[in-house]
Amino acid sequence: MPHDVTGEIHRYSEVHRGGKTIDVTKSVCNLVDLPVIVVPTQLTADGIASPVSVIRAHDGEVESRRARLPIGVIVDLDVVARSPVESVRAG
């Protein structure tokens, strides 16, 4: 776990991936009261900085749920530069 300059331990979740993984992580972090930092690997994920998660329920229905608003979003510009134009425009 990361420490700050005082040596204090900070607990948070960091998620690297696309939309589904980010949405599930934001929902779980909301349930357990844990901050989340999002590192999207594609810009087509439109909810990377939103307090809402869209999750498919067991019955197949898609639900919008309250989620943890990320405390940070980190974007790797090299990943964006290598992305297909269509996926950059979609996000």
Side-chain angles (χ1 to χ4, degrees), residues 5-46:
V5 293
T6 65
E8 182 178 340
I9 297 174
H10 295 276
R11 296 183 58 149
Y12 66 91
S13 178
E14 184 177 301
V15 58
H16 300 248
R17 295 293 293 196
K20 287 181 192 175
T21 306
I22 290 171
D23 280 355
V24 169
T25 303
K26 290 189 314 180
S27 288
V28 170
C29 286
N30 188 59
L31 292 172
V32 298
D33 195 29
L34 192 64
V36 63
I37 296 173
V38 174
V39 185
T41 55
Q42 55 186 344
L43 293 182
T44 55
D46 61 349

PDB file of all heavy atoms in Angstrom, residues 5-46:
ATOM      1  N   VAL A   5       4.369  11.079   2.789  1.00  0.00           N
ATOM      2  CA  VAL A   5       5.634  11.514   3.391  1.00  0.00           C
ATOM      3  C   VAL A   5       5.671  11.332   4.900  1.00  0.00           C
ATOM      4  O   VAL A   5       6.734  11.277   5.490  1.00  0.00           O
ATOM      5  CB  VAL A   5       5.958  12.978   3.030  1.00  0.00           C
ATOM      6  CG1 VAL A   5       6.253  13.117   1.554  1.00  0.00           C
ATOM      7  CG2 VAL A   5       4.851  13.914   3.452  1.00  0.00           C
ATOM      8  N   THR A   6       4.508  11.205   5.525  1.00  0.00           N
ATOM      9  CA  THR A   6       4.480  10.993   6.973  1.00  0.00           C
ATOM     10  C   THR A   6       4.555   9.518   7.322  1.00  0.00           C
ATOM     11  O   THR A   6       4.636   9.160   8.485  1.00  0.00           O
ATOM     12  CB  THR A   6       3.193  11.572   7.599  1.00  0.00           C
ATOM     13  OG1 THR A   6       2.068  10.836   7.095  1.00  0.00           O
ATOM     14  CG2 THR A   6       3.031  13.042   7.276  1.00  0.00           C
ATOM     15  N   GLY A   7       4.537   8.656   6.306  1.00  0.00           N
ATOM     16  CA  GLY A   7       4.566   7.219   6.553  1.00  0.00           C
ATOM     17  C   GLY A   7       3.185   6.622   6.749  1.00  0.00           C
ATOM     18  O   GLY A   7       3.038   5.427   6.963  1.00  0.00           O
ATOM     19  N   GLU A   8       2.144   7.444   6.651  1.00  0.00           N
ATOM     20  CA  GLU A   8       0.776   6.948   6.824  1.00  0.00           C
ATOM     21  C   GLU A   8       0.386   6.086   5.627  1.00  0.00           C
ATOM     22  O   GLU A   8       0.698   6.398   4.482  1.00  0.00           O
ATOM     23  CB  GLU A   8      -0.191   8.123   6.949  1.00  0.00           C
ATOM     24  CG  GLU A   8      -1.613   7.704   7.188  1.00  0.00           C
ATOM     25  CD  GLU A   8      -2.540   8.889   7.357  1.00  0.00           C
ATOM     26  OE1 GLU A   8      -2.077   9.990   7.668  1.00  0.00           O
ATOM     27  OE2 GLU A   8      -3.737   8.687   7.169  1.00  0.00           O
ATOM     28  N   ILE A   9      -0.273   4.981   5.891  1.00  0.00           N
ATOM     29  CA  ILE A   9      -0.731   4.084   4.832  1.00  0.00           C
ATOM     30  C   ILE A   9      -2.078   4.574   4.306  1.00  0.00           C
ATOM     31  O   ILE A   9      -2.973   4.909   5.070  1.00  0.00           O
ATOM     32  CB  ILE A   9      -0.863   2.639   5.349  1.00  0.00           C
ATOM     33  CG1 ILE A   9       0.511   2.114   5.773  1.00  0.00           C
ATOM     34  CG2 ILE A   9      -1.483   1.741   4.282  1.00  0.00           C
ATOM     35  CD1 ILE A   9       0.457   0.755   6.425  1.00  0.00           C
ATOM     36  N   HIS A  10      -2.197   4.606   2.985  1.00  0.00           N
ATOM     37  CA  HIS A  10      -3.451   5.015   2.358  1.00  0.00           C
ATOM     38  C   HIS A  10      -4.049   3.830   1.630  1.00  0.00           C
ATOM     39  O   HIS A  10      -3.370   3.128   0.900  1.00  0.00           O
ATOM     40  CB  HIS A  10      -3.205   6.162   1.373  1.00  0.00           C
ATOM     41  CG  HIS A  10      -2.736   7.401   2.042  1.00  0.00           C
ATOM     42  ND1 HIS A  10      -3.586   8.303   2.612  1.00  0.00           N
ATOM     43  CD2 HIS A  10      -1.492   7.865   2.269  1.00  0.00           C
ATOM     44  CE1 HIS A  10      -2.905   9.274   3.151  1.00  0.00           C
ATOM     45  NE2 HIS A  10      -1.612   9.036   2.951  1.00  0.00           N
ATOM     46  N   ARG A  11      -5.339   3.603   1.834  1.00  0.00           N
ATOM     47  CA  ARG A  11      -6.032   2.499   1.180  1.00  0.00           C
ATOM     48  C   ARG A  11      -6.924   3.045   0.079  1.00  0.00           C
ATOM     49  O   ARG A  11      -7.709   3.953   0.297  1.00  0.00           O
ATOM     50  CB  ARG A  11      -6.877   1.748   2.202  1.00  0.00           C
ATOM     51  CG  ARG A  11      -6.029   1.099   3.277  1.00  0.00           C
ATOM     52  CD  ARG A  11      -6.908   0.337   4.187  1.00  0.00           C
ATOM     53  NE  ARG A  11      -7.614  -0.641   3.357  1.00  0.00           N
ATOM     54  CZ  ARG A  11      -8.008  -1.820   3.764  1.00  0.00           C
ATOM     55  NH1 ARG A  11      -7.821  -2.177   4.990  1.00  0.00           N
ATOM     56  NH2 ARG A  11      -8.622  -2.650   2.956  1.00  0.00           N
ATOM     57  N   TYR A  12      -6.789   2.468  -1.093  1.00  0.00           N
ATOM     58  CA  TYR A  12      -7.637   2.822  -2.221  1.00  0.00           C
ATOM     59  C   TYR A  12      -7.571   1.693  -3.234  1.00  0.00           C
ATOM     60  O   TYR A  12      -6.734   0.803  -3.141  1.00  0.00           O
ATOM     61  CB  TYR A  12      -7.198   4.152  -2.863  1.00  0.00           C
ATOM     62  CG  TYR A  12      -5.837   4.094  -3.520  1.00  0.00           C
ATOM     63  CD1 TYR A  12      -5.706   3.763  -4.862  1.00  0.00           C
ATOM     64  CD2 TYR A  12      -4.683   4.368  -2.802  1.00  0.00           C
ATOM     65  CE1 TYR A  12      -4.465   3.694  -5.467  1.00  0.00           C
ATOM     66  CE2 TYR A  12      -3.436   4.308  -3.398  1.00  0.00           C
ATOM     67  CZ  TYR A  12      -3.335   3.977  -4.726  1.00  0.00           C
ATOM     68  OH  TYR A  12      -2.111   3.902  -5.321  1.00  0.00           O
ATOM     69  N   SER A  13      -8.459   1.735  -4.196  1.00  0.00           N
ATOM     70  CA  SER A  13      -8.448   0.761  -5.277  1.00  0.00           C
ATOM     71  C   SER A  13      -8.037   1.476  -6.547  1.00  0.00           C
ATOM     72  O   SER A  13      -8.445   2.600  -6.809  1.00  0.00           O
ATOM     73  CB  SER A  13      -9.836   0.151  -5.454  1.00  0.00           C
ATOM     74  OG  SER A  13      -9.827  -0.755  -6.532  1.00  0.00           O
ATOM     75  N   GLU A  14      -7.208   0.813  -7.332  1.00  0.00           N
ATOM     76  CA  GLU A  14      -6.774   1.355  -8.608  1.00  0.00           C
ATOM     77  C   GLU A  14      -7.203   0.363  -9.678  1.00  0.00           C
ATOM     78  O   GLU A  14      -6.915  -0.826  -9.555  1.00  0.00           O
ATOM     79  CB  GLU A  14      -5.257   1.515  -8.584  1.00  0.00           C
ATOM     80  CG  GLU A  14      -4.679   2.151  -9.812  1.00  0.00           C
ATOM     81  CD  GLU A  14      -3.181   2.337  -9.670  1.00  0.00           C
ATOM     82  OE1 GLU A  14      -2.753   3.030  -8.738  1.00  0.00           O
ATOM     83  OE2 GLU A  14      -2.462   1.751 -10.493  1.00  0.00           O
ATOM     84  N   VAL A  15      -7.915   0.830 -10.685  1.00  0.00           N
ATOM     85  CA  VAL A  15      -8.424  -0.079 -11.706  1.00  0.00           C
ATOM     86  C   VAL A  15      -7.883   0.309 -13.080  1.00  0.00           C
ATOM     87  O   VAL A  15      -7.920   1.462 -13.475  1.00  0.00           O
ATOM     88  CB  VAL A  15      -9.970  -0.131 -11.709  1.00  0.00           C
ATOM     89  CG1 VAL A  15     -10.593   1.214 -11.936  1.00  0.00           C
ATOM     90  CG2 VAL A  15     -10.488  -1.118 -12.742  1.00  0.00           C
ATOM     91  N   HIS A  16      -7.311  -0.681 -13.759  1.00  0.00           N
ATOM     92  CA  HIS A  16      -6.793  -0.517 -15.120  1.00  0.00           C
ATOM     93  C   HIS A  16      -7.624  -1.417 -16.024  1.00  0.00           C
ATOM     94  O   HIS A  16      -7.641  -2.613 -15.823  1.00  0.00           O
ATOM     95  CB  HIS A  16      -5.342  -1.008 -15.221  1.00  0.00           C
ATOM     96  CG  HIS A  16      -4.399  -0.303 -14.335  1.00  0.00           C
ATOM     97  ND1 HIS A  16      -3.418   0.514 -14.817  1.00  0.00           N
ATOM     98  CD2 HIS A  16      -4.266  -0.291 -12.987  1.00  0.00           C
ATOM     99  CE1 HIS A  16      -2.717   0.992 -13.814  1.00  0.00           C
ATOM    100  NE2 HIS A  16      -3.220   0.517 -12.702  1.00  0.00           N
ATOM    101  N   ARG A  17      -8.290  -0.913 -16.971  1.00  0.00           N
ATOM    102  CA  ARG A  17      -9.034  -1.708 -17.950  1.00  0.00           C
ATOM    103  C   ARG A  17     -10.031  -0.823 -18.661  1.00  0.00           C
ATOM    104  O   ARG A  17      -9.898   0.377 -18.705  1.00  0.00           O
ATOM    105  CB  ARG A  17      -9.767  -2.895 -17.313  1.00  0.00           C
ATOM    106  CG  ARG A  17      -8.896  -3.960 -16.715  1.00  0.00           C
ATOM    107  CD  ARG A  17      -8.096  -4.707 -17.707  1.00  0.00           C
ATOM    108  NE  ARG A  17      -8.970  -5.505 -18.554  1.00  0.00           N
ATOM    109  CZ  ARG A  17      -8.571  -6.468 -19.310  1.00  0.00           C
ATOM    110  NH1 ARG A  17      -7.328  -6.804 -19.336  1.00  0.00           N
ATOM    111  NH2 ARG A  17      -9.422  -7.133 -20.063  1.00  0.00           N
ATOM    112  N   GLY A  18     -11.087  -1.489 -19.146  1.00  0.00           N
ATOM    113  CA  GLY A  18     -12.134  -0.803 -19.884  1.00  0.00           C
ATOM    114  C   GLY A  18     -13.398  -0.639 -19.062  1.00  0.00           C
ATOM    115  O   GLY A  18     -13.399  -0.818 -17.840  1.00  0.00           O
ATOM    116  N   GLY A  19     -14.479  -0.326 -19.739  1.00  0.00           N
ATOM    117  CA  GLY A  19     -15.728   0.072 -19.107  1.00  0.00           C
ATOM    118  C   GLY A  19     -16.316  -0.873 -18.081  1.00  0.00           C
ATOM    119  O   GLY A  19     -16.671  -0.457 -16.982  1.00  0.00           O
ATOM    120  N   LYS A  20     -16.456  -2.170 -18.407  1.00  0.00           N
ATOM    121  CA  LYS A  20     -17.091  -3.105 -17.473  1.00  0.00           C
ATOM    122  C   LYS A  20     -16.296  -3.219 -16.176  1.00  0.00           C
ATOM    123  O   LYS A  20     -16.860  -3.168 -15.081  1.00  0.00           O
ATOM    124  CB  LYS A  20     -17.213  -4.493 -18.095  1.00  0.00           C
ATOM    125  CG  LYS A  20     -18.261  -4.619 -19.148  1.00  0.00           C
ATOM    126  CD  LYS A  20     -18.308  -6.045 -19.662  1.00  0.00           C
ATOM    127  CE  LYS A  20     -19.131  -6.144 -20.916  1.00  0.00           C
ATOM    128  NZ  LYS A  20     -19.097  -7.487 -21.485  1.00  0.00           N
ATOM    129  N   THR A  21     -14.999  -3.380 -16.310  1.00  0.00           N
ATOM    130  CA  THR A  21     -14.148  -3.527 -15.122  1.00  0.00           C
ATOM    131  C   THR A  21     -14.172  -2.262 -14.279  1.00  0.00           C
ATOM    132  O   THR A  21     -14.247  -2.326 -13.047  1.00  0.00           O
ATOM    133  CB  THR A  21     -12.702  -3.864 -15.543  1.00  0.00           C
ATOM    134  OG1 THR A  21     -12.729  -5.016 -16.389  1.00  0.00           O
ATOM    135  CG2 THR A  21     -11.830  -4.130 -14.346  1.00  0.00           C
ATOM    136  N   ILE A  22     -14.112  -1.120 -14.932  1.00  0.00           N
ATOM    137  CA  ILE A  22     -14.159   0.150 -14.209  1.00  0.00           C
ATOM    138  C   ILE A  22     -15.494   0.290 -13.476  1.00  0.00           C
ATOM    139  O   ILE A  22     -15.532   0.664 -12.297  1.00  0.00           O
ATOM    140  CB  ILE A  22     -13.925   1.332 -15.173  1.00  0.00           C
ATOM    141  CG1 ILE A  22     -12.470   1.324 -15.645  1.00  0.00           C
ATOM    142  CG2 ILE A  22     -14.283   2.662 -14.514  1.00  0.00           C
ATOM    143  CD1 ILE A  22     -12.176   2.313 -16.769  1.00  0.00           C
ATOM    144  N   ASP A  23     -16.601  -0.006 -14.144  1.00  0.00           N
ATOM    145  CA  ASP A  23     -17.919   0.131 -13.519  1.00  0.00           C
ATOM    146  C   ASP A  23     -18.085  -0.792 -12.314  1.00  0.00           C
ATOM    147  O   ASP A  23     -18.608  -0.385 -11.275  1.00  0.00           O
ATOM    148  CB  ASP A  23     -19.029  -0.118 -14.537  1.00  0.00           C
ATOM    149  CG  ASP A  23     -19.312   1.090 -15.417  1.00  0.00           C
ATOM    150  OD1 ASP A  23     -18.711   2.161 -15.172  1.00  0.00           O
ATOM    151  OD2 ASP A  23     -20.126   0.977 -16.336  1.00  0.00           O
ATOM    152  N   VAL A  24     -17.648  -2.031 -12.439  1.00  0.00           N
ATOM    153  CA  VAL A  24     -17.756  -2.969 -11.309  1.00  0.00           C
ATOM    154  C   VAL A  24     -16.908  -2.481 -10.148  1.00  0.00           C
ATOM    155  O   VAL A  24     -17.344  -2.481  -8.988  1.00  0.00           O
ATOM    156  CB  VAL A  24     -17.357  -4.399 -11.734  1.00  0.00           C
ATOM    157  CG1 VAL A  24     -17.211  -5.309 -10.529  1.00  0.00           C
ATOM    158  CG2 VAL A  24     -18.390  -4.964 -12.711  1.00  0.00           C
ATOM    159  N   THR A  25     -15.692  -2.033 -10.429  1.00  0.00           N
ATOM    160  CA  THR A  25     -14.812  -1.555  -9.361  1.00  0.00           C
ATOM    161  C   THR A  25     -15.385  -0.325  -8.679  1.00  0.00           C
ATOM    162  O   THR A  25     -15.357  -0.219  -7.451  1.00  0.00           O
ATOM    163  CB  THR A  25     -13.411  -1.245  -9.925  1.00  0.00           C
ATOM    164  OG1 THR A  25     -12.889  -2.420 -10.541  1.00  0.00           O
ATOM    165  CG2 THR A  25     -12.470  -0.783  -8.826  1.00  0.00           C
ATOM    166  N   LYS A  26     -15.939   0.614  -9.446  1.00  0.00           N
ATOM    167  CA  LYS A  26     -16.547   1.800  -8.837  1.00  0.00           C
ATOM    168  C   LYS A  26     -17.721   1.417  -7.943  1.00  0.00           C
ATOM    169  O   LYS A  26     -17.902   1.997  -6.866  1.00  0.00           O
ATOM    170  CB  LYS A  26     -17.016   2.786  -9.921  1.00  0.00           C
ATOM    171  CG  LYS A  26     -15.888   3.459 -10.665  1.00  0.00           C
ATOM    172  CD  LYS A  26     -16.350   4.593 -11.575  1.00  0.00           C
ATOM    173  CE  LYS A  26     -17.546   4.276 -12.419  1.00  0.00           C
ATOM    174  NZ  LYS A  26     -17.976   5.373 -13.279  1.00  0.00           N
ATOM    175  N   SER A  27     -18.516   0.422  -8.355  1.00  0.00           N
ATOM    176  CA  SER A  27     -19.648  -0.032  -7.533  1.00  0.00           C
ATOM    177  C   SER A  27     -19.184  -0.682  -6.237  1.00  0.00           C
ATOM    178  O   SER A  27     -19.719  -0.396  -5.161  1.00  0.00           O
ATOM    179  CB  SER A  27     -20.514  -1.021  -8.314  1.00  0.00           C
ATOM    180  OG  SER A  27     -21.235  -0.358  -9.300  1.00  0.00           O
ATOM    181  N   VAL A  28     -18.187  -1.544  -6.343  1.00  0.00           N
ATOM    182  CA  VAL A  28     -17.668  -2.217  -5.148  1.00  0.00           C
ATOM    183  C   VAL A  28     -17.061  -1.195  -4.194  1.00  0.00           C
ATOM    184  O   VAL A  28     -17.294  -1.246  -2.978  1.00  0.00           O
ATOM    185  CB  VAL A  28     -16.644  -3.310  -5.526  1.00  0.00           C
ATOM    186  CG1 VAL A  28     -15.919  -3.839  -4.303  1.00  0.00           C
ATOM    187  CG2 VAL A  28     -17.334  -4.439  -6.280  1.00  0.00           C
ATOM    188  N   CYS A  29     -16.296  -0.257  -4.726  1.00  0.00           N
ATOM    189  CA  CYS A  29     -15.684   0.764  -3.874  1.00  0.00           C
ATOM    190  C   CYS A  29     -16.739   1.614  -3.178  1.00  0.00           C
ATOM    191  O   CYS A  29     -16.548   2.040  -2.033  1.00  0.00           O
ATOM    192  CB  CYS A  29     -14.735   1.638  -4.687  1.00  0.00           C
ATOM    193  SG  CYS A  29     -13.195   0.808  -5.108  1.00  0.00           S
ATOM    194  N   ASN A  30     -17.852   1.839  -3.841  1.00  0.00           N
ATOM    195  CA  ASN A  30     -18.944   2.565  -3.203  1.00  0.00           C
ATOM    196  C   ASN A  30     -19.510   1.756  -2.031  1.00  0.00           C
ATOM    197  O   ASN A  30     -19.775   2.299  -0.966  1.00  0.00           O
ATOM    198  CB  ASN A  30     -20.045   2.868  -4.214  1.00  0.00           C
ATOM    199  CG  ASN A  30     -21.096   3.786  -3.657  1.00  0.00           C
ATOM    200  OD1 ASN A  30     -20.787   4.895  -3.246  1.00  0.00           O
ATOM    201  ND2 ASN A  30     -22.330   3.319  -3.634  1.00  0.00           N
ATOM    202  N   LEU A  31     -19.649   0.456  -2.215  1.00  0.00           N
ATOM    203  CA  LEU A  31     -20.200  -0.405  -1.154  1.00  0.00           C
ATOM    204  C   LEU A  31     -19.284  -0.508   0.059  1.00  0.00           C
ATOM    205  O   LEU A  31     -19.751  -0.575   1.192  1.00  0.00           O
ATOM    206  CB  LEU A  31     -20.481  -1.805  -1.701  1.00  0.00           C
ATOM    207  CG  LEU A  31     -21.608  -1.925  -2.711  1.00  0.00           C
ATOM    208  CD1 LEU A  31     -21.640  -3.331  -3.295  1.00  0.00           C
ATOM    209  CD2 LEU A  31     -22.941  -1.578  -2.064  1.00  0.00           C
ATOM    210  N   VAL A  32     -17.975  -0.551  -0.175  1.00  0.00           N
ATOM    211  CA  VAL A  32     -17.028  -0.733   0.930  1.00  0.00           C
ATOM    212  C   VAL A  32     -16.367   0.573   1.360  1.00  0.00           C
ATOM    213  O   VAL A  32     -15.450   0.565   2.185  1.00  0.00           O
ATOM    214  CB  VAL A  32     -15.952  -1.790   0.590  1.00  0.00           C
ATOM    215  CG1 VAL A  32     -16.596  -3.138   0.343  1.00  0.00           C
ATOM    216  CG2 VAL A  32     -15.095  -1.365  -0.590  1.00  0.00           C
ATOM    217  N   ASP A  33     -16.836   1.696   0.815  1.00  0.00           N
ATOM    218  CA  ASP A  33     -16.349   3.023   1.165  1.00  0.00           C
ATOM    219  C   ASP A  33     -14.837   3.153   0.972  1.00  0.00           C
ATOM    220  O   ASP A  33     -14.100   3.522   1.887  1.00  0.00           O
ATOM    221  CB  ASP A  33     -16.743   3.370   2.607  1.00  0.00           C
ATOM    222  CG  ASP A  33     -16.585   4.857   2.890  1.00  0.00           C
ATOM    223  OD1 ASP A  33     -16.713   5.657   1.935  1.00  0.00           O
ATOM    224  OD2 ASP A  33     -16.319   5.218   4.044  1.00  0.00           O
ATOM    225  N   LEU A  34     -14.400   2.819  -0.241  1.00  0.00           N
ATOM    226  CA  LEU A  34     -12.985   2.875  -0.579  1.00  0.00           C
ATOM    227  C   LEU A  34     -12.809   3.777  -1.795  1.00  0.00           C
ATOM    228  O   LEU A  34     -13.534   3.642  -2.782  1.00  0.00           O
ATOM    229  CB  LEU A  34     -12.498   1.457  -0.902  1.00  0.00           C
ATOM    230  CG  LEU A  34     -11.016   1.202  -1.005  1.00  0.00           C
ATOM    231  CD1 LEU A  34     -10.328   1.434   0.342  1.00  0.00           C
ATOM    232  CD2 LEU A  34     -10.784  -0.243  -1.433  1.00  0.00           C
ATOM    233  N   PRO A  35     -11.876   4.721  -1.749  1.00  0.00           N
ATOM    234  CA  PRO A  35     -11.634   5.574  -2.914  1.00  0.00           C
ATOM    235  C   PRO A  35     -11.125   4.752  -4.094  1.00  0.00           C
ATOM    236  O   PRO A  35     -10.537   3.688  -3.914  1.00  0.00           O
ATOM    237  CB  PRO A  35     -10.548   6.546  -2.445  1.00  0.00           C
ATOM    238  CG  PRO A  35     -10.511   6.430  -0.975  1.00  0.00           C
ATOM    239  CD  PRO A  35     -11.018   5.066  -0.629  1.00  0.00           C
ATOM    240  N   VAL A  36     -11.332   5.275  -5.296  1.00  0.00           N
ATOM    241  CA  VAL A  36     -10.879   4.571  -6.504  1.00  0.00           C
ATOM    242  C   VAL A  36     -10.175   5.545  -7.436  1.00  0.00           C
ATOM    243  O   VAL A  36     -10.567   6.697  -7.562  1.00  0.00           O
ATOM    244  CB  VAL A  36     -12.055   3.858  -7.218  1.00  0.00           C
ATOM    245  CG1 VAL A  36     -13.093   4.837  -7.708  1.00  0.00           C
ATOM    246  CG2 VAL A  36     -11.561   2.993  -8.354  1.00  0.00           C
ATOM    247  N   ILE A  37      -9.099   5.056  -8.053  1.00  0.00           N
ATOM    248  CA  ILE A  37      -8.386   5.785  -9.101  1.00  0.00           C
ATOM    249  C   ILE A  37      -8.550   4.960 -10.374  1.00  0.00           C
ATOM    250  O   ILE A  37      -8.305   3.760 -10.379  1.00  0.00           O
ATOM    251  CB  ILE A  37      -6.894   5.955  -8.761  1.00  0.00           C
ATOM    252  CG1 ILE A  37      -6.746   6.818  -7.508  1.00  0.00           C
ATOM    253  CG2 ILE A  37      -6.141   6.570  -9.953  1.00  0.00           C
ATOM    254  CD1 ILE A  37      -5.327   6.897  -6.987  1.00  0.00           C
ATOM    255  N   VAL A  38      -8.964   5.607 -11.456  1.00  0.00           N
ATOM    256  CA  VAL A  38      -9.244   4.923 -12.711  1.00  0.00           C
ATOM    257  C   VAL A  38      -8.112   5.180 -13.708  1.00  0.00           C
ATOM    258  O   VAL A  38      -7.696   6.318 -13.902  1.00  0.00           O
ATOM    259  CB  VAL A  38     -10.589   5.403 -13.291  1.00  0.00           C
ATOM    260  CG1 VAL A  38     -10.842   4.826 -14.661  1.00  0.00           C
ATOM    261  CG2 VAL A  38     -11.721   5.055 -12.339  1.00  0.00           C
ATOM    262  N   VAL A  39      -7.624   4.093 -14.322  1.00  0.00           N
ATOM    263  CA  VAL A  39      -6.604   4.176 -15.373  1.00  0.00           C
ATOM    264  C   VAL A  39      -7.175   3.449 -16.597  1.00  0.00           C
ATOM    265  O   VAL A  39      -6.954   2.256 -16.771  1.00  0.00           O
ATOM    266  CB  VAL A  39      -5.270   3.539 -14.925  1.00  0.00           C
ATOM    267  CG1 VAL A  39      -4.196   3.738 -15.987  1.00  0.00           C
ATOM    268  CG2 VAL A  39      -4.817   4.095 -13.578  1.00  0.00           C
ATOM    269  N   PRO A  40      -7.955   4.155 -17.422  1.00  0.00           N
ATOM    270  CA  PRO A  40      -8.588   3.486 -18.562  1.00  0.00           C
ATOM    271  C   PRO A  40      -7.560   3.082 -19.616  1.00  0.00           C
ATOM    272  O   PRO A  40      -6.594   3.803 -19.864  1.00  0.00           O
ATOM    273  CB  PRO A  40      -9.549   4.539 -19.104  1.00  0.00           C
ATOM    274  CG  PRO A  40      -8.980   5.838 -18.666  1.00  0.00           C
ATOM    275  CD  PRO A  40      -8.285   5.574 -17.365  1.00  0.00           C
ATOM    276  N   THR A  41      -7.780   1.926 -20.223  1.00  0.00           N
ATOM    277  CA  THR A  41      -6.902   1.471 -21.302  1.00  0.00           C
ATOM    278  C   THR A  41      -7.512   1.765 -22.665  1.00  0.00           C
ATOM    279  O   THR A  41      -6.910   1.452 -23.677  1.00  0.00           O
ATOM    280  CB  THR A  41      -6.625  -0.038 -21.173  1.00  0.00           C
ATOM    281  OG1 THR A  41      -7.871  -0.740 -21.139  1.00  0.00           O
ATOM    282  CG2 THR A  41      -5.846  -0.343 -19.906  1.00  0.00           C
ATOM    283  N   GLN A  42      -8.692   2.335 -22.655  1.00  0.00           N
ATOM    284  CA  GLN A  42      -9.333   2.774 -23.891  1.00  0.00           C
ATOM    285  C   GLN A  42     -10.244   3.943 -23.568  1.00  0.00           C
ATOM    286  O   GLN A  42     -10.811   4.016 -22.485  1.00  0.00           O
ATOM    287  CB  GLN A  42     -10.124   1.636 -24.527  1.00  0.00           C
ATOM    288  CG  GLN A  42     -11.145   1.013 -23.611  1.00  0.00           C
ATOM    289  CD  GLN A  42     -11.804  -0.190 -24.229  1.00  0.00           C
ATOM    290  OE1 GLN A  42     -11.726  -0.386 -25.429  1.00  0.00           O
ATOM    291  NE2 GLN A  42     -12.444  -0.996 -23.426  1.00  0.00           N
ATOM    292  N   LEU A  43     -10.364   4.853 -24.506  1.00  0.00           N
ATOM    293  CA  LEU A  43     -11.185   6.037 -24.256  1.00  0.00           C
ATOM    294  C   LEU A  43     -12.653   5.822 -24.573  1.00  0.00           C
ATOM    295  O   LEU A  43     -13.456   6.713 -24.364  1.00  0.00           O
ATOM    296  CB  LEU A  43     -10.645   7.233 -25.047  1.00  0.00           C
ATOM    297  CG  LEU A  43      -9.279   7.719 -24.594  1.00  0.00           C
ATOM    298  CD1 LEU A  43      -8.860   8.932 -25.419  1.00  0.00           C
ATOM    299  CD2 LEU A  43      -9.276   8.060 -23.122  1.00  0.00           C
ATOM    300  N   THR A  44     -13.006   4.648 -25.062  1.00  0.00           N
ATOM    301  CA  THR A  44     -14.412   4.384 -25.357  1.00  0.00           C
ATOM    302  C   THR A  44     -15.217   4.187 -24.080  1.00  0.00           C
ATOM    303  O   THR A  44     -16.436   4.184 -24.113  1.00  0.00           O
ATOM    304  CB  THR A  44     -14.570   3.142 -26.252  1.00  0.00           C
ATOM    305  OG1 THR A  44     -13.918   2.042 -25.631  1.00  0.00           O
ATOM    306  CG2 THR A  44     -13.982   3.385 -27.625  1.00  0.00           C
ATOM    307  N   ALA A  45     -14.542   4.031 -22.958  1.00  0.00           N
ATOM    308  CA  ALA A  45     -15.238   3.921 -21.676  1.00  0.00           C
ATOM    309  C   ALA A  45     -15.715   5.325 -21.304  1.00  0.00           C
ATOM    310  O   ALA A  45     -14.922   6.187 -20.963  1.00  0.00           O
ATOM    311  CB  ALA A  45     -14.294   3.362 -20.610  1.00  0.00           C
ATOM    312  N   ASP A  46     -17.026   5.556 -21.394  1.00  0.00           N
ATOM    313  CA  ASP A  46     -17.536   6.906 -21.181  1.00  0.00           C
ATOM    314  C   ASP A  46     -17.813   7.237 -19.717  1.00  0.00           C
ATOM    315  O   ASP A  46     -18.061   8.377 -19.387  1.00  0.00           O
ATOM    316  CB  ASP A  46     -18.791   7.145 -22.011  1.00  0.00           C
ATOM    317  CG  ASP A  46     -19.920   6.203 -21.642  1.00  0.00           C
ATOM    318  OD1 ASP A  46     -19.681   5.248 -20.898  1.00  0.00           O
ATOM    319  OD2 ASP A  46     -21.038   6.421 -22.126  1.00  0.00           O
TER     320      ASP A  46
END
